């Protein structure tokens, strides 16, 4: 009989929404190929049933929830966890500490839990005091009930050890070398700056958009991403794209080929993420060979090593660093080659998926010993 795993905490499979969804698009087929009966929980309407990238060996279950910025994760996490508890998979892979509140449901059914804790959600500017308290509470529940903690950066392993007294297993994200893709039509033959990020404050959005005012006078700027819920940041980016002919807003891209091509041909990729650990967009930029200017954080330094330029979150510093790198072809090539080599050595999907396979299998071994004792 196949060993079974339930994956809880994403919008579904295959989904293109964020980092966890990217992980599941790679991991679910890998596990199915390696003898697992895989079930991914998700939300109605969040995936395309006719997506050609869908692996038919991966089972999907949609559960009810409330589509709201503040409680969607909690509501869908509750219904998915309750459904999984009833059906009793051999192990659960839970993504996001907000789902820590529902881990007692799984533990009551003696289901081992491996949890990817994501970043430090209570540090994110987009959340108010109540939401931050909810995430911290979920982290405490995760520290208590999860059998294994997965952190996508070594810096997160260290923080969980200090704040919650839990050892963590380091498994980062992977990147894909898309090869020699043709440039995206609006930017073909043009030097351009690229930013790929959710439109939220902690991604250095305000400072970057101010820098764009200056940058767009000398080169094109491509922005990929949205807030997911509309609002002031989407409106500001839309205004820039409407009033500056050199600014191009692609919104949230579901087409991986277009996104990989944008990274492949970017003169500079700006990475402004300030919280979290190993960011999938940064790893993918590196694998694609995009020269990187990144906000100076411990996480970005851990991932890039010496293969990027680091700047403070200040518009003039961002604009100056990007302008300098755009004008220095030799430095761009050095950073491009270094980043690609680092991604190929440390951040591959094959090793990421194999690490999750080992972590899940280890829980089955532990469970078997407990049940036989």
């Amino acid at each position: 009989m196949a060993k079974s795993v339930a994956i809880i905490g994403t919008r579904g499979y295959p989904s293109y929404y964020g980092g966890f969804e990217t992980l599941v698009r790679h991991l679910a087929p890998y596990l199915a190929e390696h003898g697992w009966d895989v079930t991914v929980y998700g939300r109605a309407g969040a995936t395309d049933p006719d997506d050609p990238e869908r692996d038919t060996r991966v089972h999907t279950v949609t559960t009810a929830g409330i589509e709201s910025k503040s409680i969607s994760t909690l509501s869908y996490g509750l219904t998915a966890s309750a459904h999984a508890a009833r059906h009793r998979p051999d192990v659960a892979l839970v993504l996001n500490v907000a789902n820590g509140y529902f881990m007692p449901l799984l533990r009551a059914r003696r289901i081992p839990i491996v949890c990817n804790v994501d970043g430090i959600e209570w540090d994110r500017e987009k959340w108010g005091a109540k939401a931050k308290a909810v995430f911290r509470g979920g982290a405490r529940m995760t520290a208590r009930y999860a059998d294994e903690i997965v952190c996508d950066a070594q810096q997160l392993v260290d923080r969980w050890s200090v704040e919650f007294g839990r050892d963590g297993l380091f498994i980062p994200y992977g990147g894909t070398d898309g090869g020699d893709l043709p440039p995206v039509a609006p930017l073909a033959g043009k030097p351009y700056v690229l930013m790929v990020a959710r439109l939220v404050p902690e991604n250095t959005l305000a400072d970057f958009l101010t820098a764009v005012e200056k940058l767009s006078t000398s080169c094109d700027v491509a922005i990929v991403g949205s807030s997911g819920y509309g609002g002031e940041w989407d409106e500001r980016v839309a205004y820039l794209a409407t009033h500056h002919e050199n600014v191009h807003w692609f919104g949230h891209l579901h087409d991986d080929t277009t996104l990989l091509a944008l990274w492949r041909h970017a003169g500079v990729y700006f990475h402004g993420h300030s919280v979290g650990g190993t960011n999938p967009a940064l790893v993918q930029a590196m694998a694609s060979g995009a020269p990187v200017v990144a906000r100076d954080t411990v996480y970005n330094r851990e991932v890039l090593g010496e293969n990027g330029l680091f700047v403070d979150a200040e518009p003039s510093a961002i604009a100056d660093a990007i302008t300098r790198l755009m004008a220095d072809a030799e430095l761009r090539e050095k950073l491009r080659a270094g980043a690609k080599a680092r991604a190929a050595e440390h951040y591959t999907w094959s090793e990421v998926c194999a690490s999750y396979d080992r972590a899940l299998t280890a829980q089955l071994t532990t469970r078997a010993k407990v049940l036989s004792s």
Side-chain angles (χ1 to χ4, degrees), residues 101-252:
Y101 292 104
F102 317 121
M103 289 181 183
L105 296 174
L106 301 172
R107 287 294 293 272
R109 302 288 280 174
R110 305 182 77 173
I111 302 168
I113 302 165
V114 175
C115 180
N116 181 314
V117 299
D118 200 14
I120 308 299
E121 287 289 336
W122 50 95
D123 281 355
R124 296 187 188 275
E125 295 178 44
K126 70 177 181 178
W127 300 121
K130 290 183 179 179
K132 289 180 179 180
V134 168
F135 278 113
R136 187 179 285 277
R140 287 194 292 266
M141 294 289 284
T142 298
R144 179 177 178 181
Y145 288 104
D147 296 280
E148 179 69 271
I149 298 294
V150 174
C151 301
D152 62 42
Q154 187 58 52
Q155 290 287 340
L156 290 178
V157 173
D158 297 342
R159 184 158 177 179
W160 269 78
S161 177
V162 171
E163 292 195 23
F164 301 103
R166 283 295 305 264
D167 292 329
L169 179 64
F170 168 53
I171 306 178
Y173 286 94
T176 302
D177 184 350
D180 192 18
L181 297 169
V184 178
L187 298 162
K190 300 179 181 179
Y192 64 91
V193 179
L194 174 66
M195 181 183 190
V196 179
R198 194 155 313 152
L199 302 185
V200 291
E202 63 266 20
N203 291 341
T204 320
L205 194 59
D207 298 298
F208 178 72
L209 294 182
T210 299
V212 167
E213 298 276 357
K214 177 180 179 180
L215 291 168
S216 62
T217 63
S218 58
C219 65
D220 284 64
V221 179
I223 300 173
V224 176
S226 69
S227 68
Y229 293 93
E232 62 174 310
W233 295 110
D234 297 74
E235 292 170 3
R236 183 171 175 185
V237 175
Y239 179 88
L240 283 171
T242 302
H243 291 79
H244 297 267
E245 64 177 358
N246 287 344
V247 178
H248 311 267
W249 183 30
F250 290 84
H252 181 76

Side-chain angles (χ1 to χ4, degrees), residues 308-321:
L309 300 183
F310 300 95
V311 296
D312 293 330
E314 198 276 321
S316 62
I318 294 170
D320 290 348

Side-chain angles (χ1 to χ4, degrees), residues 22-23 26 172-176 278 280 283-284 287 346-350 352:
T22 301
L23 168 64
H26 290 273
Y173 286 94
T176 302
T278 299
V283 172
Q284 188 53 67
H346 298 289
Y347 301 100
T348 64
W349 280 118
S350 59
V352 167

Side-chain angles (χ1 to χ4, degrees), residues 77-99:
L78 171 60
T79 56
S81 297
H83 188 282
R86 289 196 303 272
H87 289 80
R88 299 187 70 174
D90 294 323
V91 62
L93 174 59
V94 177
L95 308 174
N96 194 321
V97 296
N99 294 310

Side-chain angles (χ1 to χ4, degrees), residues 43-64:
R43 310 178 184 185
T47 63
D48 179 1
D50 298 319
D51 191 322
E53 297 300 317
R54 178 184 294 272
D55 189 318
T56 57
R57 296 171 298 179
V58 176
H59 310 295
T60 58
V61 175
T62 58
T63 61

